[in-house]
Amino acid sequence: MMMARFIPVSSCQFCFGFRELPPSSSSLYPRRFEVSNRRFPIKCSSSEPEYGVDSSPSLSSSSSSSSSTSEVSINSSTYNWFTGLGGIGMLDTAYLTYLKLTGSDAFCPVGGGTCGDVLNSDYAVVFGVPLPVIGFAMYGLVTALSAQLGEDNLPFGISKTNGRFALFAITTTMASSSAYFLYILSTKLSGSSCLYCLVSAFLSFTLFFLTSKDVKLQKIQQVVGLQICLALIVVASLTASYSTAQPILSSTRDIELPYYSTEITTSSSPYAIALAKHLNSIGAKMYGAFWCSHCLEQKEMFGREAAKLLNYVECFPQGYKKGTKIFKACSDVGIEGFPTWMINGQVLSGEVELAELAEMSGFSLDQAK
């Protein structure tokens, strides 16, 4: 028994003719037909799905396209984060670079004003290059590379895979350096704190974790070796830089000085001598330290004879070393720097011209005469 299979077709052409044959006496069928001029120029397609053929290529393609679009969107968002964090890091290190190159004091809202101690220490220079300059360059690389990866427009024909690899290597180096510097800050510079250094370390670690998250799980084992190698290179380089650098006392906390007297080389004018006598008579006091160069310059303004007439208070009469406390007479009035003048209940900090001292104390030219 044969079963017919019908395949519906569309737009097909059948051209044929037929003629009737004379009946045969032995035939059970009274009428017979013969097909002639058969021509079947068939070129048609099935309107139903064929057996064994995947009928959903368009759906698969659409799904793949949607997935690809989603992946690009996620990557672009991630690179925007990289660009933003890198920009913040550039601002932070640019400010520190300005302070380092100009010798200005850092504004430290946290840490009791010890940012300058950290920035001016010998650990703030790597192979003769200021550390903030290196940090600015690294954050600049992250910002530029992330922006180009987000736009898929890398220069010099660099592939996106190589660009991601470079970004991963840069952030790994930055995170390793930050970890090393945090160790230095907690051991070699204990007691000092630098808000800007901590911000930079936070940004470095955040960028590192974001790039690590971008790496697929299957490739993590491959990049762990790279991370370890980069970290070892960074630690070895920094250690070599600091071990070969000439030791520099980073702050007065590291200095140990016995007390010594300073010699005044200038001669006193009659005006300076009269002013010194007047200041002494009204109880004006000058607070200073034997190692303070500004205190010596203030005395040089008065001259050798007049300086001996001043009511001068030495705040470190026993010398200075780590742990030495300031003289009680200085701590009682809250001395914050040297020299400091106390005249009629008013405080003057730093070197002061003789004319200003005369005005503050009520000294006149008639008294000088």
Short mmCIF file of all heavy atoms in Angstrom, two decimals, residues 52 91 138 189 207 224 242 272 300 311 366:
data_model
loop_
_atom_site.label_atom_id
_atom_site.label_comp_id
_atom_site.label_asym_id
_atom_site.label_seq_id
_atom_site.Cartn_x
_atom_site.Cartn_y
_atom_site.Cartn_z
N GLY A 52 13.47 18.14 9.22
CA GLY A 52 14.92 18.06 9.42
C GLY A 52 15.64 19.37 9.16
O GLY A 52 16.84 19.42 9.15
N LEU A 91 42.91 64.79 38.67
CA LEU A 91 42.76 66.02 39.46
C LEU A 91 43.52 65.91 40.79
O LEU A 91 44.21 66.86 41.22
CB LEU A 91 41.28 66.30 39.72
CG LEU A 91 40.44 66.67 38.51
CD1 LEU A 91 38.97 66.81 38.91
CD2 LEU A 91 40.94 67.96 37.87
N MET A 138 49.88 57.86 35.00
CA MET A 138 49.15 56.59 35.00
C MET A 138 47.64 56.82 34.92
O MET A 138 46.94 56.14 34.15
CB MET A 138 49.49 55.81 36.27
CG MET A 138 50.95 55.43 36.41
SD MET A 138 51.52 54.33 35.09
CE MET A 138 50.79 52.78 35.63
N LEU A 189 56.19 56.11 57.96
CA LEU A 189 55.65 57.44 58.25
C LEU A 189 54.50 57.33 59.24
O LEU A 189 53.46 57.97 59.07
CB LEU A 189 55.19 58.11 56.95
CG LEU A 189 56.28 58.36 55.90
CD1 LEU A 189 55.66 58.87 54.61
CD2 LEU A 189 57.32 59.34 56.41
N LEU A 207 39.65 50.81 40.33
CA LEU A 207 39.92 50.55 38.92
C LEU A 207 40.41 49.12 38.71
O LEU A 207 40.03 48.45 37.74
CB LEU A 207 40.97 51.54 38.41
CG LEU A 207 40.51 52.99 38.24
CD1 LEU A 207 41.69 53.90 37.97
CD2 LEU A 207 39.49 53.09 37.11
N VAL A 224 46.14 35.56 36.58
CA VAL A 224 46.67 35.59 37.94
C VAL A 224 48.19 35.62 37.92
O VAL A 224 48.84 36.35 38.68
CB VAL A 224 46.15 34.39 38.75
CG1 VAL A 224 46.95 34.24 40.03
CG2 VAL A 224 44.68 34.58 39.09
N TYR A 242 64.19 53.24 46.69
CA TYR A 242 64.34 53.80 48.03
C TYR A 242 65.65 53.36 48.70
O TYR A 242 66.18 54.08 49.55
CB TYR A 242 63.15 53.39 48.90
CG TYR A 242 61.85 53.96 48.42
CD1 TYR A 242 60.66 53.24 48.52
CD2 TYR A 242 61.79 55.22 47.84
CE1 TYR A 242 59.46 53.76 48.06
CE2 TYR A 242 60.60 55.75 47.39
CZ TYR A 242 59.44 55.02 47.50
OH TYR A 242 58.26 55.54 47.04
N ALA A 272 67.06 100.38 66.71
CA ALA A 272 66.81 99.00 67.09
C ALA A 272 67.02 98.79 68.58
O ALA A 272 66.26 98.06 69.24
CB ALA A 272 67.70 98.07 66.29
N GLU A 300 68.68 89.03 63.60
CA GLU A 300 69.61 89.79 62.77
C GLU A 300 69.04 91.17 62.44
O GLU A 300 69.80 92.13 62.23
CB GLU A 300 69.91 89.02 61.48
CG GLU A 300 70.70 87.74 61.67
CD GLU A 300 72.18 88.00 61.89
OE1 GLU A 300 72.59 89.18 61.90
OE2 GLU A 300 72.94 87.03 62.06
N ASN A 311 63.22 90.14 75.27
CA ASN A 311 62.72 89.12 76.18
C ASN A 311 62.43 87.86 75.34
O ASN A 311 61.31 87.61 74.92
CB ASN A 311 61.47 89.61 76.89
CG ASN A 311 61.05 88.68 78.01
OD1 ASN A 311 61.69 87.66 78.27
ND2 ASN A 311 59.97 89.03 78.70
N ASP A 366 59.98 109.71 68.79
CA ASP A 366 60.43 110.58 69.89
C ASP A 366 61.11 109.77 70.98
O ASP A 366 62.12 110.20 71.56
CB ASP A 366 59.25 111.35 70.48
CG ASP A 366 58.66 112.34 69.49
OD1 ASP A 366 59.40 112.73 68.57
OD2 ASP A 366 57.46 112.67 69.63
#
